[in-house]
Amino acid sequence: MTRIDDTFARLKAQNRKAFVTYIMAGDPDAATTAKVMAGLPGAGVDIIEIGLPFTDPMADGPTIQLAGQRALEGGMTLQGVLDLITEFRKSDDTTPIVLMGYYNPIYSRGVDRFLADAKAAGIDGMIVVDLPPEEDTELCTPAQAAGLNFIRLATPTSDEKRLPKVLQNTSGFLYYVSINGITGTGSADAAKVAPEVARIKQSTDLPVIVGFGIKTPDASEAIAAVADGCVVGSAIVDRIAQGDSVQDVLAYVKTLADGAHRG
């Protein structure tokens, strides 16, 4: 059982939905990321996704691409991300952390070394968007053996033929992408998401969390109501990019969390 598994068990017992947030590590700098991370649980966040900046983020829209560029220009590295998480764990040993990124930095470090370091830092799971199920032996299987959840993305095009492959070896939760396309574009539509979540849940007992296109408390409430929870990323990253104070960012996050928890 990981912290992710424990969190969903607790939320289920409380009949509550999960609220998940994404922030880019090192945007605009490591100190700001540390302050935002430290404040997220108090703002109602159940699970934190932290982005590992990469030079070629093919699944991300302009908002997260630019955040990654700023982080890299500021000197953020994989080791820097691990250091941020290690520091966070000194004061919070319960909130699950999911590392979200691309395989190249992990491959460069070496899978065995990375997994040992990730576990030691306090990472609970990972989303590596450019490793399909056909490549499970690269990272997914070793990660599961190391006690880390490997979380996959399903999309509106994950049909009955593809879905079993997506669910293969997935653990923690399934991340359902509410729209076709990249992050930060479009708006999630609960009426369209609901039947897709129901279809997926016929094939898995995993919690289904919906992300992409959620920007308001009403949207987080509507999406959480038809799933096991929701993820907000680009809208929060936008606030950070605009130069909002940490206090203002966390206040905004709390409105979204309150919406999701009403769902």
Side-chain angles (χ1 to χ4, degrees), residues 3 85-86 89 93 95-97 117-125 148:
R3 292 183 187 90
I85 295 166
T86 299
R89 285 284 175 235
D93 195 41
T95 304
I97 294 177
D117 292 345
K119 189 76 174 173
I123 291 173
D124 304 288
L148 297 168

Side-chain angles (χ1 to χ4, degrees), residues 5-28:
D5 300 323
D6 289 343
T7 293
F8 279 112
R10 173 177 53 79
L11 290 170
K12 185 175 182 180
Q14 296 171 348
N15 196 29
R16 295 182 75 199
K17 301 301 178 72
F19 181 61
V20 184
T21 55
Y22 169 97
I23 58 172
M24 176 63 74
D27 177 37

Side-chain angles (χ1 to χ4, degrees), residues 22 59-65 100 175 177-188 211-215 231-238:
Y22 169 97
D60 293 307
T63 295
I64 291 177
Q65 284 187 20
M100 188 169 187
Y175 187 137
V177 177
S178 65
I179 56 177
N180 286 319
I182 53 177
T183 58
T185 60
S187 296
F212 286 40
I214 302 169
K215 304 170 185 174
V231 185
V232 179
S234 293
I236 298 168
V237 174
D238 262 335

Side-chain angles (χ1 to χ4, degrees), residues 90-158:
K90 291 178 181 178
S91 58
D92 187 321
D93 195 41
T94 56
T95 304
I97 294 177
V98 175
L99 183 71
M100 188 169 187
Y102 298 82
Y103 185 45
N104 186 275
I106 295 169
Y107 177 80
S108 296
R109 192 179 189 88
V111 168
D112 291 344
R113 179 186 172 198
F114 165 75
L115 291 174
D117 292 345
K119 189 76 174 173
I123 291 173
D124 304 288
M126 62 189 75
I127 300 172
V128 183
V129 297
D130 55 345
L131 274 182
E134 289 76 10
E135 304 294 338
D136 271 0
T137 55
E138 284 284 331
L139 182 62
C140 174
T141 308
Q144 306 269 37
L148 297 168
N149 291 129
F150 200 89
I151 298 148
R152 291 205 194 282
L153 277 61
T155 72
T157 60
S158 299

Side-chain angles (χ1 to χ4, degrees), residues 25 50-53 76-86 99 123:
I50 186 160
L52 171 61
M76 183 52 60
T77 61
L78 174 52
Q79 184 58 52
V81 179
L82 294 170
D83 291 344
L84 280 168
I85 295 166
T86 299
L99 183 71
I123 291 173

